[in-house]
Amino acid sequence: MADAKLIDGKAFAAGLRSRVAAQVRALKENHNLTPGLAVVLVGEDPASLIYVGNKTKLTEEVGMKSVRHTLPAETSQKQLLTLVEGLNADPTIHGILVQLPLPDQIDEAAVLAAVDPAKDVDGFHVINAGKLSTGARGLVPCTPLGCLMLIKDVLGDDLSGKRALVIGRSNIVGKPMAQLLLAENCTVTIAHSRTGDLAGEAARADILVAAVGRARMVRQDWIKEGAVVIDVGMNRLPPDEPGKNGKLCGDVDFDGAKQVAGAITPVPGGVGPMTIACLLQNTVTAACALNDIDVPAVG
Ligand code: GUN
């Protein structure tokens, strides 16, 4: 069988960002509205510093207002909540993202609950999680939203009746991914660390989304021939692995899987770039909803 089609998330995300930039131009010209995104970072987690830097840069690139708040690692929960309340009340800010993980002294759930659901561009507030699971229109978590876009780019808009396996049950990826696929009329299974026969579950899946955080856990011989494989994993390989030098790798054994799958995302360059592009799209969506205007239609 020919190798799988490579799903180029980097190119897709660049296209999405240029459509968002066109929407931002239209909002400025026709409604005098500049969407604004505030990103809050507490502490100096090295990966978070990189993510937040990329988010700020790309927010500016699409013409939005970008605000960044960097707080020391010893920030109290009260101080963080005060900042979030200020952003909730700021009419120039339409999206608020508090970068996770937060330091131990801060109750993550309390902070996520404090973000105005209308500005919750991460889609992590229980109101938005509830809307997603009940079929109401809300803000949807960025990574699963980006995965769904890539899946539809390969399979078309109608996913009805496809069997989908989501490996991982996090609130950030696994659960919302399963809800999105269910809303598309897929038959969805969520697998996790206690699942008995993961290989058997994978063998039935037309769509497989891996979001577990374990390097190359999904093996070639698990995958159904022709399946669409979406790899959300971002694992750093140990520096002593020959020839790898601490490189990034996914949850899927890419070299093996590409010989069986119909289409597959690489790591890096697959799902990763979609997350920020969807964050920017969510910020436009939030800005329009807060101002009671339609999202501009662009080409
Ligand atoms: N940390 C890792 N991924 C994410 C994300 O999508 N949003 C936030 N806020 N923090 C994260």
Side-chain angles (χ1 to χ4, degrees):
M1 196 183 146
D3 269 8
K5 170 187 151 64
L6 256 194
I7 302 173
D8 189 348
K10 197 172 164 191
F12 194 101
L16 181 54
R17 289 198 309 275
S18 73
R19 290 194 292 282
V20 170
Q23 290 170 333
V24 172
R25 283 195 296 276
L27 289 172
K28 286 180 180 173
E29 277 169 32
N30 304 331
H31 299 277
N32 197 24
L33 171 63
T34 302
L37 173 64
V39 175
V40 180
L41 174 64
V42 185
E44 288 176 3
D45 176 71
S48 293
L49 273 170
I50 294 172
Y51 290 141
V52 166
N54 287 339
K55 284 168 187 171
T56 309
K57 174 173 162 275
L58 294 173
T59 304
E60 286 165 3
E61 222 171 270
V62 296
M64 290 186 196
K65 171 177 166 147
S66 171
V67 178
R68 180 169 161 174
H69 292 273
T70 309
L71 307 179
E74 57 278 7
T75 299
S76 70
Q77 177 160 327
K78 192 152 177 277
Q79 286 168 320
L80 181 55
L81 289 175
T82 302
L83 173 61
V84 168
E85 279 153 22
L87 295 169
N88 283 343
D90 183 341
T92 70
I93 295 298
H94 309 97
I96 302 169
L97 180 146
V98 181
Q99 185 68 29
L100 304 178
L102 289 167
D104 289 347
Q105 75 274 16
I106 295 175
D107 175 355
E108 200 166 281
V111 174
L112 298 182
V115 174
D116 178 349
K119 297 188 177 186
D120 170 37
V121 284
D122 257 330
F124 293 165
H125 194 288
V126 288
I127 293 269
N128 284 315
K131 283 184 173 176
L132 179 58
S133 70
T134 54
R137 189 181 289 262
L139 289 162
V140 175
C142 305
T143 300
L145 184 58
C147 292
L148 183 65
M149 289 179 188
L150 295 179
I151 293 165
K152 286 189 166 183
D153 192 47
V154 177
L155 294 176
D157 281 342
D158 183 9
L159 304 179
S160 291
K162 301 278 185 207
R163 283 184 182 275
L165 176 67
V166 179
I167 311 179
R169 55 175 158 179
S170 71
N171 292 336
I172 295 182
V173 185
K175 285 182 206 156
M177 184 78 252
Q179 292 292 352
L180 282 171
L181 291 164
L182 188 59
E184 297 292 335
N185 302 311
C186 291
T187 302
V188 182
T189 301
I190 306 177
H192 45 77
S193 54
R194 309 285 173 89
T195 297
D197 179 15
L198 204 40
E201 300 293 348
R204 283 187 288 277
D206 305 304
I207 297 166
L208 188 155
V209 181
V212 265
R214 285 183 56 189
R216 302 196 200 102
M217 190 191 79
V218 177
R219 293 172 16 193
Q220 173 180 354
D221 57 346
W222 294 8
I223 293 168
K224 181 178 176 183
E225 199 162 309
V228 175
V229 176
I230 305 291
D231 191 350
V232 184
M234 294 258 257
N235 310 293
R236 201 60 63 199
L237 289 172
D240 53 356
E241 184 152 335
K244 294 299 178 192
N245 269 333
K247 272 192 190 151
L248 269 187
C249 101
D251 291 346
V252 177
D253 167 21
F254 179 81
D255 291 337
K258 74 170 195 255
Q259 296 173 43
V260 186
I264 186 168
T265 56
V267 177
V271 172
M274 293 299 292
T275 299
I276 298 183
C278 288
L279 172 69
L280 302 175
Q281 181 68 81
N282 275 354
T283 305
V284 166
T285 303
C288 292
L290 283 161
N291 288 279
D292 205 16
I293 54 186
D294 289 336
V295 175
V298 296

